[in-house]
Amino acid sequence: MQLTEDQIYRYSRHILLPEVGGEGQKKLLDAKVFCVGVGGLGSPIALYLAAAGVGTLGIADSDQVDITNLQRQVLHYTEDIGKPKTHSAQEKLEKLNPDVDIVAYHDLITKDNIREIVRDYDIVVDGSDNFPTRYLVNDACYFEKKTLISGAIFQFEGQISVFKPHNGGACYRCLYPEIPPEGMMPSCQEAGILGAVAGTVGTMQAVETLKEILKIGDTLENRLLIFNALKMAFDSVKVNKHPECKLCGDHPSIQEITEYIQPECDIEDSAKS
Ligand SMILES: [Zn+2]
């Protein structure tokens, strides 16, 4: 594949970087990334990946745009209230960069479709805000041997990590072995979130995704980055592969994907990250 003249201009600020160059830009145009959720985290993730020219971008979200989303979900505008988030997101992303092929999944992702979806992509970025989805996506990435770029936000704080168990590294379950009981970890809807914190964490997930595609720098593989916006402080802790992990450990008890049960209304509510 050769870059067109328009592409050389469009991506010139990437191409100028010795770590990217024309070859790196071609890698981005060839890459396939699946973004789970186009809410608070998914908006900056999808916007930056589309702007960067990631050639195929899958987006999954079963929610509609609600007025309470607009404080942080920057892919959606006031006129989009009531529209499916995937439609609203697809419109903006296609306008931003016609080079990018957007594949929208409006149906809820479940144990029955997640592996098949994930299989089509190189990298999965999790921008969901509920535990059943996070575990589902982690397990699918493990079985399909895909790199998972994970992010989470709560009030003024965020966490980011990169999971590559197929590379000998930890998985999400090594860090969080069990789903916390319902109500123990309140959602954005229940606990609040500073909108720009979602933007900061989602943007850092996009950075890690681009580095993974380009194979440059040191990513957050086996590290958890913790961001505190009130203190404007970053901390990073090592994440080890857990030999007793039920999924990727020495004697795994999870042999196939299962559904993680929580009442449907709870999944709906907390998906509005
Ligand atoms: Zn694990």
Side-chain angles (χ1 to χ4, degrees), residues 156-270:
F156 295 92
E157 287 175 39
Q159 297 189 345
I160 309 112
S161 193
V162 174
F163 298 109
K164 295 170 83 167
H166 51 281
N167 196 34
C171 83
Y172 182 79
R173 284 179 182 270
C174 294
L175 184 62
Y176 298 111
E178 301 288 341
I179 298 190
E182 217 194 304
M184 209 176 96
M185 297 289 282
S187 65
C188 290
Q189 190 196 11
E190 292 153 350
I193 174 77
L194 190 73
V197 169
T200 309
V201 172
T203 303
M204 286 194 281
Q205 286 179 272
V207 171
E208 291 300 273
T209 306
L210 297 172
K211 281 163 60 192
E212 280 289 341
I213 298 168
L214 295 164
K215 301 198 186 331
I216 58 170
D218 300 316
T219 68
L220 287 169
E221 183 180 1
N222 295 326
R223 274 193 297 153
L224 177 73
L225 184 77
I226 301 159
F227 165 55
N228 182 320
L230 284 181
K231 294 182 177 161
M232 200 42 91
F234 292 87
D235 212 347
S236 110
V237 294
K238 195 158 172 21
V239 179
N240 292 313
K241 185 181 177 75
H242 204 298
E244 277 163 38
C245 177
K246 281 185 193 169
L247 183 67
C248 76
D250 297 337
H251 306 286
S253 58
I254 299 167
Q255 307 290 351
E256 60 180 33
I257 300 220
T258 50
E259 206 79 69
Y260 304 102
I261 311 290
Q262 279 199 336
E264 202 172 317
C265 61
D266 197 62
I267 294 172
E268 286 281 307
D269 288 346
S270 55

